Amino acid sequence: MENRRLHGCLGLVVAVLLAMLTTMVLGRALNACDAGVNNAANSTFLLYFFIPALSAVLLMAWVLLGALLGGRPFLHAVVLGAALLALCWCALAFFWSGVTPNCPGGTPGWWPHLLPAPAFP
């Protein structure tokens, strides 16, 4: 039972940290591309809605994958890492601003050119 409690606490910490990292990237992209309503409205949305919602989704994925693959630790770690990063990428893609006058290519100037911009076709 103690192991499950530690696994749940670790899942919560990882979910919140990944949600905050994703929020920072999305907030910087919205600010650099001058997208959204304004900075106050964007930050309010990101702080009060985006972080809790993404944390909840990531934590549900953590628990679901832990229940499905709990007996195989290496496979569990690989699938869990890939699934959590994919969910963060999908959240970025869903709220990504796209092409704006400040970002004609759809990505801010600081975005690495080797990494494709998160977007759904």
Side-chain angles (χ1 to χ4, degrees):
M1 186 67 173
E2 191 67 31
N3 191 20
R4 293 182 78 151
R5 183 174 297 149
L6 177 65
H7 183 76
C9 290
L10 181 64
L12 180 63
V13 169
V14 169
V16 169
L17 287 177
L18 276 175
M20 290 175 68
L21 179 67
T22 305
T23 302
M24 287 174 41
V25 171
L26 183 60
R28 286 201 57 197
L30 290 174
N31 189 25
C33 292
D34 199 25
V37 179
N38 59 30
N39 287 338
N42 290 344
S43 63
T44 301
F45 163 73
L46 291 173
L47 284 175
Y48 295 117
F49 299 110
F50 189 76
I51 290 177
L54 185 59
S55 296
V57 168
L58 292 174
L59 186 60
M60 285 188 284
W62 180 281
V63 170
L64 180 67
L65 289 172
L68 291 176
L69 301 171
R72 294 171 241 156
F74 181 73
L75 180 64
H76 179 227
V78 171
V79 170
L80 188 62
L84 293 181
L85 289 176
L87 283 171
C88 288
W89 190 262
C90 287
L92 275 176
F94 189 73
F95 291 105
W96 195 260
S97 62
V99 178
T100 62
N102 292 346
C103 298
T107 58
W110 52 264
W111 189 262
H113 297 291
L114 297 175
L115 194 62
F120 291 121

